[in-house]
Amino acid sequence: MTPTPLTADAVLALAPDAASAQAARRLAAPGNWPTLNAPASSLWGECQGSGRTPYLTGVDLSGPAPTTPAFKCSCPSRKLPCKHALALLLLHATHADSFGQAAPPQSLQTWLDGRAARAATTTPVTAAPDPAAQAKRRAAREKKVSLGLDQLQTFLKDLIRDGLAHATARPYSDWDTQAARLVDAQAPGAARLVRQIPDHLSDPAALLAHLGRLYLLTEAWPRRDTLSGAQQADLRAALGFPIDSAGVLAGSGLQARWQVMGQSVTEEDTLSTRRTWLTSGDHTALLLDFSAAGRPFPPALPPGVTLQAEVCHAPGTVPQRALLRGEATPTRPEAPPPGLTLDALLDRHGAALALNPWLERTAHLTGPLHIVPGDPWHAQDHTGRLPMSGRNPTLLALSGGHPVTLYAEWNGETLTPLSALHAGTLHPLRAVSDA
Amino acid sequence: MNHPDALLALALIGTARGPLPTPGPDALAGAAAQVTRPDPEGTLLARAALHALAHAAGRRPDPPGDQPDPAPPETLPELPARAARHLPTVIRTPLLNEWLTLCAQGGWRVPHALLPDLLDHAATSYNSHLRPLLTPVLGERGHWLARLHPDWASLSPNPDSWEATTPAGREDLWRRLREHDPQAARELLQRRLDSERADTRRRLLTALLDTLTDDDHPLEPLLDTLTTDRSADTRTQACAALHRLPRSAQNARNAARLAALFGGTPPTPDDHATRDGLPDPPGQNTPALLAHLLAHTHPDTLLTALNTTPAALTALARQHDQLQPLAQNAVTTHHTPLAAALLTELPTHPQLLQVGPPETLAAAHTQAMNDRDLERLLTLLDPHPGPWTPDLSAALLTTLHATCPTRHHAAHTHRWEQLAELAATRAHPHTLHPGPLPDDATEWAPQTMGKLQATLDLRQQLWTDFGKERG
């Protein structure tokens, strides 16, 4: 069967970076492709590049979900998917009639067969972990964390004893050293918060609030045994313990229709984090992907898509971080629920903070809102207004000054719109930073 | 001072320099009073954390402010998706102009979601042809959006905002007014030009020269005053405009001078010599004066004053060895009859061919293709706007195919590539591909031809998706 084409937006969302997306657009003209074919749930084509022999590009659409294709290309690019694979998908989205039905050449067929064979065999071949060794590693790590946080507490108290007015005079290396110690102590989450201290130096009230939050970590850790399991999970997540994927996936899941509401990427030092928010009724699931040192992310779930999927939440007082179990299959979208007022959004955020004081952000469907450009931009409804991060011309173009419903992240300071409900469909947004 | 502020004040100077503040009577301060640690630093940090969290959790929206007026309803239909889908592909390529033209020809407006990228590109582009193409397709939403964004404001200048806008914005405003109401545009020039800065003046006069017609004779008094302007640019532009208005006094004076010259009586020095740009010293029967007058007197005025025909005028110019100035004149004034006459003497003059009768130009194209003279083809075709006729396009593609650089003969490769690039954007998109290149073609020739065909295919798709007929 010929697979239903992904929409052009969905294809471009797969791009590892903006340059690839732009290059793919340029290549997505049938004339660049002497050969284009779409045999059973795959695409392949030949693209005339700068060399004499054209590149042979293949896309496997037979995966668990057509929204997560696999790619192969004979070009030397290390990006995945490369511009040729993206262009091939784009062409399929825009010029499906230019595709023939011919079978792929041997090299591609071998790859496709190999993938099919791997998909057929079941994967769990993980060695049974040795419980004793695990407990030992765990104890060793906890000891390191204890030492690191103890030192951090002393550092924080020293800051307060000397007065924060003197903190601005400290060399940057002070903060870096302290952060590096926490990395060594295997508490990268705390290290991150320490690295953020210099951002608040110009605003004493924000600085004190930030230090207070860090201090809570150093107090909570030594008495973690008095906390509930969910609270302990919050604490571990804030300290940067990795989640126990196997444990999460072994737990109970929520089999439902999940709508991909929006995506955002933040970069800290050399690590980029991509957040994908899914909702189902009142449930929210946050999928995280990481990419280090500019390497591309794994293919994304495009916003706007609705999936039949089983979501397993990581433990915590506010169910948010989650993993997908098994296959996610696209399904008929449901009408989105009505948006929250800004007051109700803050209410929900406050309720979540009451449970987990280290929660960095929550995401909500909010609206109808008026978008007010200015410095900064604001979103406003009859309950009041909240500042937005950056500028968002696409949002303004879609709304035209009329109220609009958004899916947005709130981090306690600014509202970041991730997508807009426009004419019944979810339109992903890219914010433009003011920098 | 409330409790959080008191805590902050102490945190700033340091707990070593003061006692902990006593929590106040309110509920939150009461809760804070319950938080104690063995040392004042710990107590302060823990109480600060409590207050910060309570503050964050209890936050209410800020009071609402003014909001912009919504965009007016659209008056044009939205461009159908099958045509709109091409914009991301063609934006930032030479094909954008054609896409915008097709969009405007169909009477459509750009879909809202695509506006920001288009406005961003137009605001940063150096392509001056883009602005006028953009105006008709932005729709109400696009103009509304452009006015709200500081970087885009110049793309949609408000007619009432002449004072506030940039020189480029004023030029744009004037060009738009000129299109809709030429009389109002003339009145605007008469009213405003004197008080404009040099930069704006140059832009407005350039825009006038781009759009000058016979109806602009009422501007003559204004242009006359500008021929004595301080700025040499302004003087030149004003003289050029007066030259192209056949009934201007400048043309009449020049025709009288020329008649006197040909009649054997050298023109007497007169007051207007300097403002009319005559070469120094005036009044002599020098070839310089003759050349100037032949080049700068409107052909219609000349023909009437000398009571002669284009052919006779051409013969006269040849007698005096002054064909080139007369040719320059015919080109500047787009005078087809004079160009036709001059082409008998200067059959290969590229600009004359553009002004002359189309059949002469077509014959020149054919000749150049038969001669396989790529250099000449480039000169002839470069000023020829697209889309070219199907016949010319097909013949050119055949020529490109026949002149393909080979491993044995690759002397004209650069011209060949330039011509292929020109054909990609200008040739008629429904031109048939001429077939595979010979085996001994250079390694990159198939790539160039492939690119040309890819562009033509894309443009063919564009035409189809915009519902444009083959014609």
Side-chain angles (χ1 to χ4, degrees):
Chain A
M1 115 212 142
T2 303
T4 8
L6 291 173
T7 64
D9 270 343
V11 172
L12 291 172
L14 296 171
D17 52 42
S20 301
Q22 186 57 27
R25 286 177 179 145
R26 274 199 293 274
L27 278 176
N32 293 323
W33 295 78
T35 322
L36 283 173
N37 284 291
S41 51
S42 64
L43 307 174
W44 70 277
E46 289 178 315
C47 180
Q48 187 60 54
S50 47
R52 172 157 267 236
T53 36
Y55 295 127
L56 180 61
T57 311
V59 178
D60 181 5
L61 295 170
S62 67
T67 49
T68 53
F71 311 95
K72 184 164 179 68
C73 184
S74 61
C75 77
S77 167
R78 287 178 175 200
K79 291 182 179 173
L80 195 77
C82 68
K83 59 183 178 181
H84 305 105
L86 285 172
L88 188 60
L89 275 169
L90 271 182
L91 271 171
H92 195 235
T94 53
H95 298 81
D97 44 352
S98 307
F99 282 74
Q101 287 289 337
Q106 194 51 46
S107 62
L108 269 185
Q109 191 58 54
T110 315
W111 172 70
L112 286 170
D113 293 346
R115 283 186 51 79
R118 273 198 300 283
T121 59
T122 40
T123 37
V125 269
T126 41
D130 172 3
Q134 246 186 346
K136 206 172 151 191
R137 275 200 303 276
R138 196 179 156 102
R141 177 167 194 173
E142 298 205 338
K143 197 174 157 200
K144 273 188 174 183
V145 172
S146 297
L147 282 174
L149 289 180
D150 201 43
Q151 221 171 30
L152 173 63
Q153 194 174 63
T154 310
F155 177 72
L156 292 173
K157 285 182 179 174
D158 284 350
L159 279 178
I160 294 297
R161 190 174 312 112
D162 294 348
L164 295 180
H166 300 290
T168 45
R170 282 177 173 257
Y172 263 57
S173 55
D174 272 21
W175 316 112
D176 289 343
T177 312
Q178 195 58 42
R181 281 189 189 148
L182 287 163
V183 171
D184 291 344
Q186 298 198 307
R192 235 181 94 234
L193 289 174
V194 169
R195 239 179 272 121
Q196 289 169 357
I197 292 177
D199 300 343
H200 299 296
L201 285 179
S202 57
D203 180 354
L207 176 63
L208 184 58
H210 191 77
L211 296 180
R213 209 172 268 207
L214 254 175
Y215 181 75
L216 273 192
L217 278 178
T218 69
E219 280 204 336
W221 177 253
R223 43 183 215 90
R224 60 189 176 280
D225 293 338
T226 65
L227 302 177
S228 72
Q231 286 170 330
Q232 285 195 36
D234 288 347
L235 176 61
R236 284 171 186 275
L239 286 171
F241 279 72
I243 61 166
D244 168 18
S245 305
V248 170
L249 289 173
S252 66
L254 198 58
Q255 176 70 250
R257 254 196 255 176
W258 291 89
Q259 185 164 19
V260 184
M261 297 301 287
Q263 228 155 41
S264 63
V265 175
T266 43
E267 283 167 35
E268 274 173 15
D269 296 326
T270 56
L271 184 75
S272 301
T273 309
R274 182 178 62 199
R275 295 185 291 278
T276 305
W277 296 92
L278 314 181
T279 63
S280 177
D282 272 345
H283 300 285
T284 297
L286 170 61
L287 307 180
L288 293 185
D289 293 297
F290 302 98
S291 108
R295 263 185 277 273
F297 283 110
L301 293 173
V305 170
T306 304
L307 303 166
Q308 183 68 44
E310 186 173 11
V311 163
C312 300
H313 277 105
T317 52
V318 182
Q320 195 179 65
R321 176 81 198 274
L323 298 172
L324 286 185
R325 174 156 63 203
E327 299 178 1
T329 47
T331 179
R332 186 171 48 81
E334 271 174 29
L340 300 174
T341 62
L342 291 177
D343 197 36
L345 176 148
L346 290 180
D347 227 41
R348 296 254 180 123
H349 184 76
L353 270 189
L355 294 169
N356 178 358
W358 299 291
L359 197 66
E360 290 195 10
R361 55 175 70 77
T362 54
H364 312 270
L365 191 66
T366 169
L369 300 172
H370 282 282
I371 306 303
V372 187
D375 185 25
W377 284 36
H378 282 92
Q380 104 176 20
D381 64 13
H382 65 273
T383 65
R385 68 178 193 173
L386 289 177
M388 292 168 57
S389 62
R391 296 177 281 117
N392 207 314
T394 308
L395 181 54
L396 204 56
L398 288 175
S399 68
H402 299 283
V404 61
T405 297
L406 305 175
Y407 194 76
E409 288 178 350
W410 171 249
N411 64 1
E413 301 285 329
T414 51
L415 198 66
T416 307
L418 306 184
S419 38
L421 258 186
H422 179 63
T425 57
L426 209 57
H427 192 99
L429 299 168
R430 277 188 317 255
V432 181
S433 69
D434 278 319
Chain B
M1 198 188 291
N2 65 25
H3 192 232
D5 286 349
L7 283 175
L8 179 59
L10 180 61
L12 279 171
I13 60 164
T15 47
R17 294 183 188 80
L20 274 177
T22 317
D26 62 287
L28 190 55
Q34 305 289 316
V35 176
T36 53
R37 298 291 182 269
D39 45 68
E41 297 80 37
T43 308
L44 190 151
L45 278 165
R47 287 182 183 174
L50 174 66
H51 277 289
L53 280 167
H55 180 75
R59 172 163 182 166
R60 307 289 306 273
D62 305 333
D66 291 337
Q67 36 189 290
D69 290 330
E74 296 287 1
T75 51
L76 299 175
E78 177 171 299
L79 180 65
R82 55 200 235 105
R85 66 182 172 150
H86 294 291
L87 181 58
T89 322
V90 302
I91 196 167
R92 295 175 186 92
T93 75
L95 295 190
L96 178 60
N97 287 7
E98 186 163 23
W99 188 93
L100 290 169
T101 308
L102 288 167
C103 188
Q105 280 173 354
W108 284 299
R109 61 172 172 81
V110 174
H112 297 162
L114 299 176
L115 286 169
D117 201 22
L118 186 58
L119 288 168
D120 255 347
H121 173 60
T124 52
S125 166
Y126 293 105
N127 178 353
S128 60
H129 303 295
L130 218 50
R131 274 163 184 267
L133 292 177
L134 214 54
T135 307
V137 299
L138 285 183
E140 294 293 339
R141 183 69 54 91
H143 288 290
W144 175 85
L145 200 58
R147 283 195 290 271
L148 278 177
H149 198 303
D151 296 348
W152 300 340
S154 70
L155 296 173
S156 179
N158 184 339
D160 307 325
S161 65
W162 182 274
E163 297 295 343
T165 187
T166 58
R170 291 182 191 190
E171 177 187 340
D172 203 42
L173 268 181
W174 189 81
R175 280 184 190 266
R176 268 201 272 160
L177 184 62
R178 175 79 162 175
E179 210 166 286
H180 298 133
D181 188 350
Q183 177 57 27
R186 278 191 287 274
E187 283 166 12
L188 184 70
L189 273 193
Q190 285 163 337
R191 203 167 57 242
R192 288 276 185 177
L193 199 65
D194 260 352
S195 53
E196 290 299 333
R197 293 215 332 256
D199 183 23
T200 313
R201 260 196 223 207
R202 189 177 44 73
R203 282 174 173 278
L204 291 176
L205 285 174
T206 306
L208 175 68
L209 283 169
D210 285 351
T211 55
L212 198 72
T213 69
D214 209 36
D215 296 333
D216 289 319
H217 273 97
L219 285 177
E220 201 187 334
L222 171 70
L223 293 168
D224 260 335
T225 63
L226 292 178
T227 54
T228 55
D229 197 84
R230 269 183 309 154
S231 148
D233 274 353
T234 305
R235 291 198 300 271
T236 312
Q237 285 182 310
C239 280
L242 287 168
H243 166 208
R244 283 169 48 193
L245 294 173
R247 297 186 299 285
S248 74
Q250 177 185 302
N251 276 323
R253 287 193 294 271
N254 278 344
R257 288 173 188 136
L258 198 62
L261 262 184
F262 283 137
T265 46
T268 49
D270 64 76
D271 302 344
H272 300 290
T274 313
R275 70 155 51 187
D276 291 350
L278 297 192
D280 290 325
Q284 313 269 322
N285 185 1
T286 59
L289 177 61
L290 189 57
H292 177 88
L293 293 174
L294 280 174
H296 293 93
T297 314
H298 195 283
D300 284 347
T301 326
L302 266 182
L303 293 171
T304 316
L306 302 177
N307 190 20
T308 183
T309 62
L313 183 60
T314 303
L316 198 59
R318 192 193 43 207
Q319 263 175 35
H320 291 85
D321 204 15
Q322 298 288 2
L323 281 172
Q324 289 299 338
L326 193 60
Q328 184 197 332
N329 190 354
V331 170
T332 317
T333 54
H334 293 273
H335 204 277
T336 306
L338 181 58
L342 280 161
L343 278 169
T344 57
E345 296 290 338
L346 303 166
T348 59
H349 195 292
Q351 289 115 334
L352 271 185
L353 281 165
Q354 304 297 334
V355 175
E359 52 280 7
T360 318
L361 179 62
H365 288 151
T366 310
Q367 184 65 43
M369 285 192 261
N370 288 343
D371 296 348
R372 302 201 172 167
D373 185 344
L374 301 187
E375 174 92 42
R376 183 156 174 72
L377 266 177
L378 260 182
T379 322
L380 287 175
L381 290 174
D382 191 45
H384 199 33
W388 296 335
T389 61
D391 288 349
L392 171 61
S393 308
L396 182 67
L397 258 62
T398 310
T399 306
L400 277 173
H401 186 259
T403 54
C404 162
T406 63
R407 285 195 288 279
H408 315 295
H409 181 73
H412 48 259
T413 51
H414 184 55
R415 299 276 171 248
W416 187 79
E417 264 190 282
Q418 280 183 307
L419 208 51
E421 264 171 43
L422 199 63
T425 49
R426 307 262 186 94
H428 196 282
H430 286 275
T431 312
L432 282 179
H433 302 160
L437 292 173
D439 288 340
D440 61 349
T442 58
E443 201 168 315
W444 43 264
Q447 203 189 326
T448 304
M449 275 312 249
K451 243 192 256 172
L452 164 62
Q453 293 182 1
T455 311
L456 287 180
D457 285 347
L458 177 59
R459 290 179 52 220
Q460 191 174 341
Q461 188 71 48
L462 276 182
W463 280 36
T464 311
D465 290 338
F466 273 97
K468 187 175 166 84
E469 297 306 313
R470 284 163 165 267

